Amino acid sequence: MEQIGMFPLFYFPEIGTAWIMGITGTIHILASHTSVGAALLFAFLAHKAYKEDRPELYEYMKKYGMFLLIFSYVVGSITGPGIWYTATAASPRGISALIHNFVWVWATEWVFFVFEVVGVFALVYFINKIDRKTHLKLTYAFALASVGTLFLIIGIISFMMWPGNDAFYQTGSVSDAFFGLTTFPHLFLRIGFMILMSGVIGLIIASSLSDKELKNELIRKMGITSFIGGFITVICFMWYMTTIPENAKVLLSIYMPDIMTTKVVLVVLFSTYFAIAILKPNFINRPFAIVMLFIIAIFGLWPGEKLRESIRKPYVVGQYVYSNQIMGRDVPGKNIKNEVEIIEKHGLLKVNPWIPDRLKTITPENKLEVGELLTKIACSNCHSLETTGKYRPLLKNFVGQDKEMIKTFMQYSLATGAIPYMPKISLPDEEFDAIAQWIESQLPKEK
């Protein structure tokens, strides 16, 4: 019997599998966004210091650079492999799809990244130790390497939303995968937020300076920098939203009222902070700037990353790898077959090579155990399965329902693909029955 290329199941209790990857990824993105934005800011400051003969700006760059070394290149370098570990455990076929499509793009990105790491050490160490023109060239090279790293990564993670064209499915070409509809709006959206973050970090560094005149000047400049970055972010976010696929637009329509309310509040809050920096720089002190960094990082970055991950459902990669690791369509260019039809014909128990032999046939004795295992395979990449689950708890959707109601929902919704943001999974009657019975057994009993 034909087997599908599944991997062993990984499930993180209470939180759910995908959220571990999301939390790690958000921390990494904060660090990496700061580094790219700072690289652009360094190029601007070094240019200004060289052209206007302002050595005091080099001292500011050195302080900023030391922060960058610790925050971006230590935290970022730790959480970067963390993403690989968590993503490989949570979404092994998704990672496999990305590697098979972009292995040389990723290899190139790592070359740029090594240049970045070496470059930031050299940039900080050689301040006032080499001639300023050479140092300026070094900052330009560092900025180019940072933007190059960003561009390559954006092409890859934009493909996670979708290729943006049908040609990829036929050709399997890396260029058809990389240059999708979302790639460039996504790129400039990220650059805008990175510029914003470079200004926010810059406000912390500037607020600690002892020279009052220089302190106020740099606080104003960092406020303007953040304003410019924020404006680019808002404009490119609206552009990006016009390029997403239909299933993402359906989900976006559900989230839109909350999104708009949140966005308006954040824009007003952040704009007020940047306006204070520009108009009243004396009001900005280090504790205030640090608090605002955390507010912007938490409420500016996390909702955006959560939204991007959410509206990509039911897929994790390229509109063909479902969130539950099942291939949801044919991709002739990669010799990938639609596995939904295989599972529908034979059942998940028979075609998943990691199902223990004792559970491949459902019996009265193992039915609940089989139901739990099938639920984890089919649902746990998006849902937590405990009654105390923290993120997208599955059981709360079935409170008050009996086994037959749960089974009917699955047969007429999941099996038909009627819910656009949930993977289509059509199972034999006995497998749906086992899932429904396990879910019913976990529901709180009415007193």
Side-chain angles (χ1 to χ4, degrees):
M1 182 179 294
E2 186 173 6
Q3 301 281 290
I4 61 176
M6 296 292 279
F7 287 79
L9 176 68
F10 171 80
Y11 176 65
F12 196 94
E14 300 290 334
I15 295 176
T17 303
W19 289 97
I20 295 298
M21 180 174 60
I23 292 167
T24 307
T26 301
I27 297 170
H28 175 74
I29 287 168
L30 175 61
S32 63
H33 279 27
T34 304
S35 70
V36 177
L40 297 172
L41 181 61
F42 275 23
F44 167 74
L45 291 173
H47 177 83
K48 194 172 183 64
Y50 174 71
K51 293 295 183 181
E52 298 177 9
D53 189 23
R54 298 190 58 187
E56 69 273 16
L57 293 180
Y58 288 114
E59 291 304 312
Y60 175 73
M61 289 174 62
K62 192 166 188 177
K63 288 185 176 182
Y64 200 133
M66 292 303 294
F67 177 90
L68 194 65
L69 280 171
I70 296 169
F71 182 72
S72 292
Y73 288 95
V74 174
V75 175
S77 296
I78 292 170
T79 53
I83 293 177
W84 279 98
Y85 284 122
T86 54
T88 301
S91 186
R93 299 189 90 188
I95 286 293
S96 175
L98 293 178
I99 291 172
H100 280 83
N101 282 302
F102 299 109
V103 62
W104 290 113
V105 176
W106 242 316
T108 306
E109 186 272 334
W110 287 333
V111 172
F112 277 92
F113 178 69
V114 170
F115 187 95
E116 267 192 281
V117 173
V118 174
V120 72
F121 275 93
L123 186 148
V124 173
Y125 179 77
F126 286 123
I127 288 177
N128 295 325
K129 293 183 179 179
I130 57 175
D131 67 274
R132 294 178 183 178
K133 188 172 184 179
T134 302
H135 189 268
L136 178 61
K137 291 177 180 178
L138 179 59
T139 60
Y140 286 163
F142 177 55
L144 287 173
S146 294
V147 173
T149 301
L150 172 67
F151 174 63
L152 295 170
I153 287 295
I154 287 299
I156 295 171
I157 62 176
S158 293
F159 175 77
M160 294 173 70
M161 178 68 76
W162 72 319
N165 59 76
D166 287 333
F168 163 76
Y169 299 111
Q170 302 304 318
T171 66
S173 165
V174 66
S175 59
D176 287 327
F178 189 91
F179 294 104
L181 289 179
T182 64
T183 302
F184 286 101
H186 193 185
L187 173 67
F188 290 112
L189 165 63
R190 296 279 182 176
I191 287 176
F193 190 76
M194 289 170 176
I195 292 172
L196 183 153
M197 286 304 300
S198 72
V200 171
I201 298 293
L203 284 167
I204 295 175
I205 310 301
S207 64
S208 65
L209 296 176
S210 56
D211 185 328
K212 187 175 181 180
E213 186 176 343
L214 178 63
K215 173 182 174 179
N216 288 344
E217 178 194 353
L218 287 172
I219 286 176
R220 288 193 184 96
K221 278 185 168 56
M222 295 304 106
I224 293 170
T225 298
S226 294
F227 242 130
I228 293 170
F231 179 77
I232 294 171
T233 302
V234 171
I235 295 301
C236 291
F237 174 79
M238 292 188 289
W239 179 21
Y240 177 73
M241 288 297 106
T242 67
T243 64
I244 59 178
E246 289 305 315
N247 61 296
K249 289 177 181 176
V250 171
L251 273 170
L252 187 64
S253 67
I254 296 172
Y255 294 127
M256 187 55 78
D258 291 336
I259 291 171
M260 292 310 297
T261 301
T262 303
K263 287 291 181 186
V264 169
V265 171
L266 291 178
V267 167
V268 171
L269 175 63
F270 298 168
S271 297
T272 301
Y273 176 51
F274 303 146
I276 291 172
I278 296 168
L279 302 174
K280 298 288 184 180
N282 286 324
F283 281 28
I284 305 296
N285 56 43
R286 196 166 194 179
F288 180 31
I290 291 173
V291 169
M292 287 306 299
L293 166 65
F294 282 102
I295 290 175
I296 291 171
I298 294 170
F299 296 103
L301 183 61
W302 170 252
E305 291 305 306
K306 181 181 176 183
L307 175 66
R308 185 176 64 85
E309 292 295 314
S310 297
I311 64 176
R312 199 171 70 230
K313 304 306 181 192
Y315 303 98
V316 289
V317 167
Q319 297 265 303
Y320 68 92
V321 184
Y322 274 142
S323 54
N324 56 18
Q325 306 302 291
I326 293 167
M327 298 298 173
R329 66 174 292 170
D330 291 327
V331 185
K334 292 292 181 184
N335 296 316
I336 291 171
K337 293 182 180 180
N338 185 341
E339 294 171 349
V340 174
E341 299 169 358
I342 298 171
I343 293 169
E344 183 176 23
K345 181 179 179 181
H346 301 290
L348 193 54
L349 296 176
K350 299 294 190 297
V351 301
N352 187 323
W354 298 99
I355 302 289
D357 289 338
R358 64 185 179 82
L359 300 180
K360 284 187 177 293
T361 301
I362 300 175
T363 66
E365 293 75 25
N366 70 14
K367 191 171 185 178
L368 282 179
E369 187 178 1
V370 171
E372 180 181 10
L373 179 58
L374 288 172
T375 305
K376 285 182 176 178
I377 293 171
C379 310
S380 68
N381 200 268
C382 292
H383 298 279
S384 55
L385 305 182
E386 295 77 19
T387 54
T388 54
K390 302 297 187 297
Y391 294 104
R392 292 201 190 114
L394 179 71
L395 297 178
K396 79 169 188 177
N397 298 310
F398 297 104
V399 172
Q401 299 185 33
D402 59 22
K403 186 182 83 169
E404 291 306 315
M405 295 171 68
I406 297 168
K407 183 178 174 181
T408 299
F409 165 79
M410 291 187 292
Q411 289 178 321
Y412 289 95
S413 296
L414 298 184
T416 61
I419 303 177
Y421 52 85
M422 295 182 70
K424 179 182 178 181
I425 180 165
S426 182
L427 302 174
D429 183 81
E430 64 173 357
E431 293 187 9
F432 271 138
D433 195 72
I435 293 174
Q437 185 165 325
W438 181 79
I439 291 175
E440 182 190 40
S441 73
Q442 300 302 302
L443 296 177
K445 302 297 186 288
E446 295 184 2
K447 296 181 179 179

